[in-house]
Amino acid sequence: MLNTIVNTLAKWAWESENGSDISADFCVENFFPFPPMPCLIALAMKGLGIAIITGACLNKAPLIINIVNNKSVAGMSSSAVYGETLMYANAAFYSVLKGNPFTTYGENLILTFQSVLVCILCWNYAIPKISIMQRLSATVVFGIYLFLVFVVLKSMPEYYHILMSINLPVLIFSRGSQVMTFWKCKHTGTQSLITNGMNTLGSAIRMLTTISEIGFDIPMLTGYAISLILNLILVSQFFMYSKKTEEYLKSLKGKKE
C-alpha cells in the first residue's frame, strides 16, 4: 500500500513531457540521503505550481470584497474584465486540450470562473448601468466560444495554438484598457493591489514552472512574459495614484452616509 502511494506521488512529481532525463524511479532510488539536484528542482516546480493554484483560489477575493463593500466598480474597465475572462479561459482551455499537467494551468481555470463572477458584479454595480442587450450578447458570445473550443477545435490539434495566439492581442487590450482607465481616472478605484500583485508574481513563477514541466512552449511563455510586464505597470499605478485613490474612496463612503 505504502509503495503504491510512493510510486504514484513519484510519477506525479517527476514524470513530465518535456524530455527531461530524470525519471520517477531514478529520483526515488537516489532520494536518500541527498536527492539529485534535478529531482529537487522538478519537485520544487511542482510545489510552486500547487502554490499558484492555491493562491488563485483567493486571487480575486480582495477585489470582489472591495466591490461588494463599496457597491461600486469605479476604476474598472468593463472591456478589461471581458478581455481578462477570455484571456484566462484561452490559457486554461489550451492546456486542457493539450493534456498538460493540471499544475501548469489550474490557476487559469479557477481565475476564469472568478472573472465571470467579476463580470456579473460589473453588470450589477456599473454606473451607468450595463444594458440587458450587452449582458445577453456577452452570454451568447461566451456560449458560442465554448462550443467552438470543445467541439470544433478539439478535433484539430494542429490549431490549438490559435487560443494562445489570440491571447496576445487580448492580453494587451485587457491590461492596456485597465492601464488607460487608471491613467484617465488618476486613481485605482475599488481595484485591489493584492490581486494585481498576485497576478504579477503568478506570471513570473508560471514562466519557471512551464519551462520545468512542459518545456519551451513559446506561445505560453510569450503570453506569461507580456502579462508580467503589463501587470508590473498596473502595480506601479497603485503607488502612483495612492493618495488620490484614498481621497476618492473616502468621498465614495461619504456619499453613502
Side-chain angles (χ1 to χ4, degrees), residues 243-255:
K243 289 185 178 179
K244 290 193 175 181
T245 299
E246 187 177 344
E247 292 172 3
Y248 174 80
L249 292 177
K250 284 182 179 178
S251 68
L252 191 62
K253 288 181 181 179
K255 290 179 182 177

Side-chain angles (χ1 to χ4, degrees), residues 1 8 19 28 32 37 40 42 87 100 106 126 128 131 142-143 149 156-157 168 192 199 218 223 233-234:
M1 179 66 175
T8 300
V28 170
F32 297 103
M37 187 57 67
L40 280 179
M87 179 182 68
N100 291 336
S131 68
F142 193 66
V149 171
M156 299 183 290
L168 295 181
S192 168
N199 288 339
I218 300 303
I233 294 174
L234 284 172

Side-chain angles (χ1 to χ4, degrees), residues 113-235:
F113 291 110
Q114 292 182 359
S115 295
V116 170
L117 176 57
V118 172
C119 281
I120 295 172
L121 290 173
C122 279
W123 292 348
N124 192 41
Y125 293 121
I127 297 176
K129 282 285 186 181
I130 293 176
S131 68
I132 296 296
M133 182 58 67
Q134 183 181 142
R135 302 182 194 189
L136 183 61
S137 298
T139 303
V140 170
V141 168
F142 193 66
I144 294 172
Y145 161 77
L146 292 176
F147 173 80
L148 290 174
V149 171
F150 290 107
V151 177
V152 179
L153 192 61
K154 186 178 181 180
S155 61
M156 299 183 290
E158 66 273 20
Y159 295 113
Y160 288 174
H161 68 277
I162 290 176
L163 288 174
M164 295 307 291
S165 298
I166 291 173
N167 250 16
L168 295 181
V170 171
L171 171 63
I172 294 171
F173 171 77
S174 174
R175 294 286 191 264
S177 296
Q178 192 59 65
V179 168
M180 290 302 297
T181 298
F182 284 168
W183 180 74
K184 289 177 181 178
C185 294
K186 296 296 185 289
H187 66 74
T188 56
T190 54
Q191 285 273 29
S192 168
L193 174 59
I194 295 174
T195 295
N196 283 275
M198 290 175 69
N199 288 339
T200 304
L201 182 61
S203 296
I205 294 176
R206 263 296 163 233
M207 294 181 70
L208 297 177
T209 58
T210 298
I211 293 171
S212 174
E213 296 193 55
I214 299 174
F216 286 89
D217 188 313
I218 300 303
M220 290 186 73
L221 290 173
T222 302
Y224 288 133
I226 294 175
S227 180
L228 175 61
I229 294 169
L230 293 173
N231 282 328
L232 284 170
I233 294 174
L234 284 172
V235 168

Side-chain angles (χ1 to χ4, degrees), residues 97-116:
L97 292 176
K98 288 199 69 174
N100 291 336
F102 183 72
T103 49
T104 64
Y105 71 87
E107 83 282 359
N108 284 316
L109 192 60
I110 293 169
L111 288 171
T112 299
F113 291 110
Q114 292 182 359
S115 295
V116 170

